[in-house]
Amino acid sequence: MAVGVCKSYPTPAEPLHVLRDLDLSLSRGQRLAIVGPSGSGKSTLLNILSTLDAPTAGQVRIDSEDPYALSAKALARFRAGRIGFVFQDHHLLPQCTAMENVLIPKLALGRANRDDIARAGELLESVGLTDRQTHLPSELSGGERQRVAIARALMNDPSLLLCDEPTGNLDARTSAGVADLLIRLSEHRVLIAATHSESLAQRLGERRALIEGHLQ
């Protein structure tokens, strides 16, 4: 998935090296928690794996394909179709209902049809929100908003599910419920979560620390 990945940023003095010759390989069905102190590069790594930010050096491959070799238009379609992302802050569109928010990844690839609407309903059912489909984010609790975000991330049936502090804004009980969902719904895909939560890290199984730009 990642071979020799480096990421640095220019500064007036010298480059700031965030990731250093990082390797990572996972197969479908594997779950990984990436832990480490704030500023260690966890979010940077997820952004590179999600194709939102290109590495300075090294290669990323998803489903045996190098997304960074694609044109900008093809890369956008690749990202929408192969990668799901769950953020710490749900990033739901406030003017859209739960159903409409879940459909957004499908709309990014074109127009949603009846089958897409049916799938969105099934995903909302799978996260326990069948009766909240027409509610706006402002009418949902924090845990419910994060569950909508999980359903949205799965809308296009991605092979890679990335989560950046998915339980960071939730209380312990709600966090446990979100962890249950992530584990249950990621059975046939790669799941990588950057987290400060030891509880979530333990639930995911494999745990690696990002220290000084290296995964340990």
Side-chain angles (χ1 to χ4, degrees):
M1 178 179 290
V3 179
V5 165
C6 301
K7 184 64 180 181
S8 61
Y9 298 94
T11 70
E14 58 185 17
L16 173 63
H17 298 286
V18 179
L19 302 177
R20 301 170 181 266
D21 198 27
L22 184 148
D23 294 333
L24 176 63
S25 179
L26 296 171
S27 302
R28 290 195 184 216
Q30 286 188 272
R31 299 187 294 267
L32 171 67
I34 298 177
V35 300
S38 296
S40 62
K42 298 188 301 297
S43 294
T44 298
L45 176 56
L46 290 193
N47 286 340
I48 289 173
L49 294 177
S50 67
T51 74
L52 293 173
D53 189 13
T56 305
Q59 189 177 58
V60 172
R61 300 193 74 85
I62 298 172
D63 294 338
S64 301
E65 188 168 356
D66 179 2
Y68 289 106
L70 302 173
S71 67
K73 184 175 181 180
L75 176 58
R77 291 188 64 82
F78 180 94
R79 182 188 305 124
R82 307 281 188 91
I83 303 167
F85 208 127
V86 180
F87 301 89
Q88 178 175 351
D89 188 0
H90 50 79
H91 291 308
L92 300 181
L93 295 181
Q95 72 275 24
C96 294
T97 64
M99 170 66 78
E100 291 166 342
N101 268 288
V102 174
L103 284 168
I104 285 172
K106 186 60 66 175
L107 296 174
L109 295 175
R111 183 177 298 177
N113 57 35
R114 289 183 179 179
D115 289 342
D116 299 328
I117 294 171
R119 173 167 172 75
E122 291 170 358
L123 285 169
L124 285 170
E125 180 181 7
S126 72
V127 298
L129 294 175
T130 298
D131 60 343
R132 309 290 269 172
Q133 294 185 17
T134 60
H135 287 66
L136 297 172
S138 60
E139 300 171 313
L140 303 174
S141 68
E144 288 172 334
R145 289 192 290 269
Q146 196 65 316
R147 283 187 274 161
V148 173
I150 293 171
R152 177 185 60 189
L154 296 173
M155 182 64 209
N156 288 334
D157 194 23
S159 56
L160 174 61
L161 180 61
L162 301 170
C163 305
D164 195 359
E165 295 289 354
T167 61
N169 291 333
L170 305 175
D171 59 56
R173 181 176 179 181
T174 306
S175 295
V178 167
D180 289 340
L181 283 173
L182 289 173
I183 291 169
R184 176 166 59 84
L185 297 174
S186 65
E187 184 176 1
H188 301 296
R189 65 193 91 240
V190 173
L191 168 62
I192 302 174
T195 182
H196 285 104
S197 169
E198 284 299 326
S199 175
L200 177 59
Q202 291 174 8
R203 294 285 308 280
L204 294 185
E206 188 175 353
R207 176 187 184 278
R208 297 182 69 181
L210 185 55
I211 306 294
E212 297 184 351
H214 300 280
L215 277 175
Q216 301 178 0

